[in-house]
Amino acid sequence: MAAGRGTVPGVVGWLWLFCLFTLVCFRGRVQADCECGYAAGDVGSGSGSNTNITAQRHVFTEVLESNFALLQDVALDTDWARQAFNVTAERARGRHGEMFATDNVATHPGPEDGLQLSVRSQLVDGMVSGAEVDSTRLDLSYGTFRALMKMSSIPGTCAAFFWYLNDTQEIDIELLSREFDAANASYPVNLVLQSREAAESGFNAAQTGTFVKAYLPFDPTKDFHEYRIDYVPGQVFFYADGALLAGMNGSAVPTSAGHLILQHWSNGNALWSGGPPDRDAVLTVGYVKAYFNSSTARRREDWMRRCGGGGGGGDSANAVCDIPSVSPANSSARGWFFSDRGNMTNNQTVYDQDSGSAPRRVMGMDAACFCMFVWARMEIMERRCNDEKEERLNVMVLFPKR
């Protein structure tokens, strides 16, 4: 073996590697802030709940944050997918069918802009053209889901932010622009749990006790406001700018995982969306923030390995981070994104806030240790290979072929 190349002998190399691996990876399982989750300490707090449940604290293990005000091209955001499909008038229960088109979803970066979902005034083959985007993650179990939105003032559309598994497991916030009455400062918001019972009533949740029409203390068409759903075991709570609008419980509360949907549509149903609008109408979404538990077994196992199931242990004093919440008196939390801070989204896939482009994977200590281990081992193998090549070359020089 050639001298002077700094080659690490096999046994010594493995001993060195083992010591390094042990030192880095077993000092403590949790090395970064928030690695054991994100805590909502105000679930169910405030007045207006029809369940009379006191505030609760829930810890969620996953984060999905999308700041659409920075997004340059929605096609690059793999957290969300634009939808294209048609619904017949019969199935839509309206005068017209519904046509969801990707062209009706556009990005307009800027502090007063974001993701724009348009409903067109002109019918296309007897259908009203609208917009929908869905989260690509389908493993959203219990969580707190928040969207900053500015409504259209043009009558005849339905703007919706909702959690969805299927037509009988659905948690809706829906605003109907035809219901807005600026003269009387009346701005209703419809809060719905779609259930099997609602389906049997023709999807009229008002007949099931899982429908609440609440009234907003602001004009939703003048500015951005945060609309929020807290989905926890056996209970669902709805908020606007942090003020509790309603709470629901019972058998209609979903028990499975689903995904998030942003939607803007119309079908001419005089009892719901009304419309179509007499001119194009736009719903603007500033952000979506979702903190939730994953239904994926591997994600749960990763969390258990890091945190031991306690949700608060480890070497980091901030292994669980409190989620800043918007309140009627303080909207500063709108600007807070964990994914925009260092060391707060380890082991998560987060939106790239700096470039406004595709999400990036933030590596946790477990993954970093594994990569370090593999890299070091590959270094040893490469050096061995190079040394063997050099030995063979020396042999060929000493004993050339005849």
Side-chain angles (χ1 to χ4, degrees), residues 202-223:
F203 291 97
N204 184 359
Q207 303 297 321
T208 67
T210 58
F211 172 86
V212 171
K213 186 182 291 292
Y215 288 84
L216 301 171
F218 51 77
D219 182 345
T221 71
K222 296 297 185 184
D223 203 352

Side-chain angles (χ1 to χ4, degrees), residues 37 39 59 89 254 285:
V59 175
V285 184

Side-chain angles (χ1 to χ4, degrees), residues 244-287:
L244 185 65
L245 300 174
M248 301 178 189
N249 55 22
S251 61
V253 176
T255 57
S256 303
H259 64 285
L260 295 178
I261 297 178
L262 296 161
Q263 196 178 71
H264 196 201
W265 60 274
S266 177
N267 60 22
N269 184 334
L271 299 178
W272 198 250
S273 70
D278 60 10
R279 57 192 185 279
D280 291 353
V282 177
L283 163 68
T284 306
V285 184
Y287 64 65

